[in-house]
Amino acid sequence: MKLRTMGVVSSLAVMASLAAPAYAQDEGSGDTGARTNEIIVTAEFREANLQDTPIAITAVNAEMLEARGQTDISQVAANAPNVTLKAQPQGGGTGLIAFIRGVGQTDFNYALDPGVGVYIDDVYIPTLSSSLLDLMDLERIEVLRGPQGTLAGKNSIGGAIKLFSAKPDGSGKGSVQATYGSYNRLDLRATADFALSDKLFARVAGVSKSRDGYVHLLNYGLTHPGSNLDTNAAHGAYAEWGTLGDQNFVAGKLSLRWMPTDTVEVNLS
């Protein structure tokens, strides 16, 4: 059975002002009662309305991800034009092949820089390996198309994909989601948010995915005794010695948010 692993990313950010989360906000417009949807992004490291940001950007917030049933980063490409996100061949591990506007990288060699930068809370993921990330407890995703070297670094010549985690708010809310399907598929997802004090909040999230393989690996010499082919001794005396397409991983995340004053915020994940 193949094991999928998820990289552990640590980040510490001290900000003088709070970067507002992406959300769909209804606002009244004068006496007419007109309503508009507004999504706030930080593609330029400052709060801005998505419609006012001078970058070719696609933003997907948590509500959109839940409504569309998207649970891993490769599925986000369905919402962004000129973006291709696919799982790389498993010989290289749990990796992502990302192309934006025809610029990307298919080789998981650690000596080669991907053409598309992947970031979690502005922490750079330097290789394709282990970059096929689960969309666990996110606030929003921003897909920036075109060269982003000015703000995202030299390794983002094709574009950048930025994932932003949901921040603790001490609301006391939580959620549990379970999915069962073919090949004994079992997916579990859970989150919980709580306050440790008036100024310190915590949030925990976890995900578990498992599924049996759907491609059977056969010892041809045993399944076809009249073929005059020797059996593969490395696989023993079993006609079927394994499967491909298995999935099995568990991941967890702890987030802490400390707000000692109105102008200082410390986030640790």
Side-chain angles (χ1 to χ4, degrees):
M1 178 177 291
K2 293 182 178 293
L3 295 179
R4 290 173 174 259
T5 59
M6 176 173 290
V8 178
V9 178
S10 298
S11 63
L12 177 62
V14 181
M15 298 173 289
S17 61
L18 172 62
Y23 55 92
Q25 178 179 349
D26 295 329
E27 296 180 342
S29 177
D31 297 332
T32 62
R35 306 176 76 85
T36 59
N37 290 327
E38 178 180 313
I39 296 181
I40 304 299
V41 297
T42 56
E44 298 180 305
F45 293 92
R46 60 183 178 181
E47 298 178 21
N49 187 334
L50 175 63
Q51 301 298 327
D52 298 331
T53 304
I55 297 177
I57 178 175
T58 298
V60 183
N61 60 21
E63 290 78 9
M64 295 177 181
L65 292 174
E66 182 177 0
R68 296 165 180 171
Q70 296 174 338
T71 59
D72 73 65
I73 192 173
S74 64
Q75 298 170 339
V76 178
N79 310 116
N82 300 318
V83 177
T84 300
L85 304 175
K86 293 183 178 181
Q88 71 179 17
Q90 291 304 292
T94 308
L96 177 72
I97 294 178
F99 276 80
I100 297 181
R101 293 181 175 176
V103 179
Q105 175 66 34
T106 60
D107 196 334
F108 58 88
N109 190 329
Y110 292 103
L112 301 177
D113 293 330
V116 175
V118 179
Y119 300 81
I120 301 179
D121 297 328
D122 288 322
V123 176
Y124 178 57
I125 306 299
T127 68
L128 295 177
S129 297
S130 301
S131 58
L132 185 60
L133 304 171
D134 188 272
L135 305 181
M136 179 177 63
D137 196 32
L138 294 183
E139 177 186 282
R140 70 185 184 279
I141 300 174
E142 298 179 9
V143 181
L144 285 61
R145 302 187 297 277
Q148 304 296 324
T150 301
L151 297 176
K154 69 180 183 66
N155 297 332
S156 301
I157 188 173
I161 302 172
K162 295 189 174 184
L163 285 67
F164 295 91
S165 301
K167 294 181 179 180
D169 56 12
S171 62
K173 297 180 180 179
S175 65
V176 177
Q177 180 181 8
T179 302
Y180 183 81
S182 303
Y183 299 99
N184 292 321
R185 174 190 173 186
L186 180 60
D187 297 352
L188 299 173
R189 310 172 71 87
T191 61
D193 195 306
F194 48 92
L196 299 178
S197 68
D198 294 339
K199 298 182 179 180
L200 180 62
F201 313 107
R203 188 179 183 95
V204 293
V207 59
S208 172
K209 288 186 177 182
S210 63
R211 182 190 61 208
D212 294 341
Y214 48 84
V215 177
H216 299 276
L217 300 176
L218 304 178
N219 193 331
Y220 194 87
L222 293 178
T223 57
H224 299 76
S227 62
N228 295 324
L229 292 178
D230 294 333
T231 61
N232 191 333
H235 300 146
Y238 299 100
E240 181 178 331
W241 57 271
T243 58
L244 294 175
D246 309 59
Q247 185 180 52
N248 185 19
F249 77 87
V250 177
K253 179 169 61 177
L254 170 64
S255 302
L256 296 175
R257 185 184 186 188
W258 181 42
M259 305 177 66
T261 68
D262 294 337
T263 57
V264 176
E265 176 181 334
V266 179
N267 288 282
L268 174 64
S269 62

